[in-house]
């Protein structure tokens, strides 16, 4: 039996993690669960899974009588306080955004393994997180499907050097749209992802291909791989989740239907696989798998991520912070879809290069980037 602290239990990854627990209740026990503001959704989950500890950022008016045996935390710093109280074997971080960074750093102190869905913590604080994991001898297991695929492809690779990592991308809902149409796409268009069902922020990131850019940076940190050895191929069917090329020209791929319960279960059970009751891959029914070069003219965010990480220091933090602010404004229908890429480009342009030596530097760069983004948002306001 492994105990798991689940951060972001009410979200897309959180709910699918709980599905895996439901399918193997004798293997996993949830000792802690958190959500941002949706108290009723969290109450229902706490009632079902009976964790010892729970937390909400927004303190609710009251805690139902039958949930009072759980220890509750609220407000600023609630994720790290939950982790300190929970003492779980593993932490699965499925919160969205840079809020996941302090939680990831704390998880490395409190638990043996960090099962990481929250990519923004690596994009913004990648070297701090990886250095701390190394220093404390902790394992970080990827939950993001591409990184789980790469991790699976590397099993049995021994010490053979990797020639390149090939991340696949669905291309998102606007893959075949022209530039003008992409620019003025609506929120409902952006939220209609062709192959994956996910939370709103990452779904918008997929539509702009910023998600793939963030994932390139995530892979760079997780697998200690130089950017020039990380390639992206658009693969609209989302069946090959990513690939590893070795020196002898052999390419190993991991395939499956697009269902996040598979990479979540792989991280939870590692090194054992958790039996899966969902639909299974039938290649003969699918017929063919296709691949394309990403179009960085229509989707410039992917190129920006490579550029920001190549410059290093505060630049990836600025790109992430600007993007979080821009996506939030787009989801509130304040700016057009094309405004996201414009804002990200302007934030990078106006950010002065500085090194990052501690977590305080990350938060300062994030704050400055959001301020720059807000100014651009005001300029781009619709109506
Ligand atoms: P979501 O929006 O569906 O859920 C986010 C969860 O985090 C919710 O439980 C919410 O209450 C909580 N939360 C939101 N803001 C918070 C804050 N400031 N502090 C603490 N908790 C907060 O998001 P999701 O789609 O489940 O994605 C979660 C993370 O996993 C993201 O980093 C995303 O990039 C990554 N990811 C998601 C998928 C997917 O299929 N959904 C796939 C790969 C990676
Ligand atoms: Mg992914």
């Amino acid at each position: 039996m492994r105990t798991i602290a689940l951060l972001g239990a009410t979200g897309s990854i959180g709910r699918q993690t709980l599905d895996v627990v439901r399918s193997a209740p004798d293997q996993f026990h949830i000792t802690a669960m958190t959500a941002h503001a949706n108290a009723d959704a969290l109450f229902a989950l706490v009632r079902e899974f009976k964790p010892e500890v729970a937390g909400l950022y927004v303190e609710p008016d009251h805690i139902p009588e039958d949930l009072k045996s759980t220890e509750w935390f609220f407000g600023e710093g609630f994720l790290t306080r939950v982790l300190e109280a929970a003492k779980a074997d593993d932490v699965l971080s499925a919160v969205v955004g840079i809020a996941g960074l302090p939680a990831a750093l704390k998880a490395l102190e409190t638990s043996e393994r960090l099962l990481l869905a929250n990519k923004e913590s690596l994009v913004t604080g990648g070297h701090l997180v990886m250095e701390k994991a190394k220093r404390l001898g902790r394992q970080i297991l990827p939950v993001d499907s591409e990184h789980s695929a790469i991790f699976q492809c590397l099993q049995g690779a021994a010490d053979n050097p990797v020639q390149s990592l090939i991340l696949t991308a669905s291309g998102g809902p606007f893959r075949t749209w022209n530039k003008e149409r992409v620019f003025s796409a609506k929120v409902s268009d952006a939220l209609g992802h062709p192959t994956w069902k996910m939370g709103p922020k990452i779904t918008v990131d997929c539509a702009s291909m910023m998600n793939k850019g963030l994932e390139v940076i995530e892979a760079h940190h997780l697998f200690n791989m130089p950017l020039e050895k990380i390639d992206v191929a658009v693969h609209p069917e989302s069946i090959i989740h990513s690939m590893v090329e070795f020196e002898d020209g052999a390419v190993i791929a991991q395939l499956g239907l697009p269902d996040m319960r598979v990479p979540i279960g792989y991280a939870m059970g590692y090194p054992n696989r958790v039996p899966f009751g969902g639909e299974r891959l039938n290649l003969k029914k699918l017929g063919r798998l296709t691949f394309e070069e990403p179009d960085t003219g229509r989707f410039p965010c992917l190129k920006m991520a490579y550029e920001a990480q190549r410059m290093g220091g505060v630049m990836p933090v600025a790109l992430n912070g600007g993007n979080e602010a821009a996506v939030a404004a787009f989801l509130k229908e304040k700016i057009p879809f094309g405004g996201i890429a414009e804002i990200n480009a302007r934030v990078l342009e106006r950010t002065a290069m500085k090194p990052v030596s501690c977590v305080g530097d990350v938060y300062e760069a994030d704050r400055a980037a959001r301020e720059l983004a807000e100014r651009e948002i005001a300029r781009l306001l619709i109506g």
Side-chain angles (χ1 to χ4, degrees):
M1 174 72 82
R2 281 197 84 81
T3 55
I4 301 177
L6 175 58
L7 308 181
T10 55
S12 161
I13 293 287
R15 283 180 279 115
Q16 295 182 84
T17 300
L18 295 171
D19 270 349
V20 177
V21 175
R22 284 188 192 99
S23 74
D26 50 335
Q27 284 184 56
F28 305 108
H29 169 64
I30 300 288
T31 52
M33 42 174 56
T34 70
H36 184 67
N38 191 340
D40 288 338
L42 190 67
F43 290 159
L45 295 175
V46 168
R47 197 162 281 126
E48 180 182 353
F49 289 92
K50 304 185 175 35
E52 284 71 19
V53 186
L56 279 160
Y57 179 71
V58 180
E59 183 164 0
D61 297 338
H62 78 290
I63 299 293
E65 212 45 54
D66 62 320
L67 304 181
K68 284 194 172 154
S69 59
T70 292
E71 188 182 1
W72 288 87
F73 295 91
F74 309 104
E76 222 40 66
F78 78 114
L79 294 176
T80 55
R81 285 181 286 134
V82 162
L83 291 179
E84 275 165 359
K87 296 189 181 59
D89 298 328
D90 298 343
V91 174
L92 196 150
S93 176
V95 303
V96 57
I98 196 175
L101 178 59
L105 290 166
K106 178 55 75 177
L108 295 173
E109 291 167 23
T110 59
S111 298
E112 285 166 25
R113 313 193 302 182
L114 171 59
L115 322 183
L116 195 61
N118 173 265
K119 62 194 74 180
E120 294 90 348
S121 52
L122 286 181
V123 171
T124 56
H127 69 277
L128 301 172
V129 172
M130 298 311 292
E131 268 166 29
K132 186 163 186 177
K134 194 167 171 195
R135 181 158 46 81
L136 300 178
R138 305 301 201 201
Q139 202 169 18
I140 300 179
L141 294 167
V143 169
D144 209 347
S145 58
E146 295 75 5
H147 308 76
S148 173
I150 290 167
F151 184 64
Q152 293 181 55
C153 293
L154 288 171
Q155 303 298 308
D159 292 329
N160 284 297
V162 168
Q163 182 78 22
S164 73
L165 304 179
I166 305 152
L167 270 70
T168 53
S170 71
F174 308 145
R175 182 175 61 89
T176 58
W177 290 27
N178 68 33
K179 204 170 178 158
E180 293 67 41
R181 201 169 159 217
V182 172
F183 188 91
S184 50
K186 303 263 168 309
V187 171
S188 56
D189 299 323
L191 291 183
H193 194 277
T195 49
W196 294 96
K197 251 210 95 26
M198 307 171 288
K201 193 262 177 180
I202 181 176
T203 305
V204 173
D205 283 347
C206 285
S208 67
M209 289 201 76
M210 177 50 90
N211 182 54
K212 212 48 54 180
L214 301 178
E215 290 184 351
V216 165
I217 300 175
E218 183 185 9
H220 160 75
H221 289 295
L222 273 175
F223 304 110
N224 192 21
M225 193 58 50
L227 289 180
E228 55 280 10
K229 290 190 170 191
I230 307 177
D231 195 14
V232 172
V234 172
H235 166 46
E237 295 85 6
S238 301
I239 296 297
I240 294 186
H241 299 308
S242 279
M243 300 174 254
V244 177
E245 181 194 5
F246 291 94
E247 280 187 319
D248 59 356
V251 177
I252 313 275
Q254 187 261 332
L255 287 74
L257 290 174
D259 188 324
M260 283 308 294
R261 291 173 299 177
V262 178
I264 293 169
Y266 189 72
M268 287 166 65
Y270 183 80
N272 303 313
R273 289 184 182 271
V274 182
F276 175 66
E279 197 189 337
R280 304 188 91 85
L281 177 62
N282 181 340
L283 284 172
K284 288 181 278 188
K285 210 166 99 188
L286 264 165
R288 68 181 67 205
L289 300 178
T290 60
F291 304 91
E292 296 165 13
E293 194 68 54
D295 182 345
T296 51
R298 281 180 304 140
F299 303 104
C301 290
L302 175 59
K303 204 167 59 191
M304 286 182 222
Y306 274 98
E307 280 162 10
Q309 186 57 43
R310 217 164 268 134
M311 287 186 270
V314 293
M315 302 316 269
V317 184
L319 180 62
N320 179 75
N323 183 62
E324 284 191 32
V327 171
F330 169 69
L331 284 169
K332 288 187 196 136
E333 301 187 328
K334 287 180 158 172
I335 59 165
F337 181 76
I340 297 173
E342 279 190 11
I343 291 165
N344 291 342
R346 289 291 277 250
V347 168
L348 280 184
E349 237 170 68
R350 289 171 179 222
T351 299
M353 176 55 198
K354 263 192 262 170
V356 164
S357 51
C358 63
V359 74
D361 294 345
V362 175
Y363 299 135
E364 173 50 30
D366 177 67
R367 193 201 50 73
R370 284 169 197 268
E371 221 172 86
L372 284 171
E374 289 306 332
R375 260 184 262 159
E376 296 301 317
I377 290 166
R379 199 176 55 80
L380 285 162
L381 282 183
I382 296 172

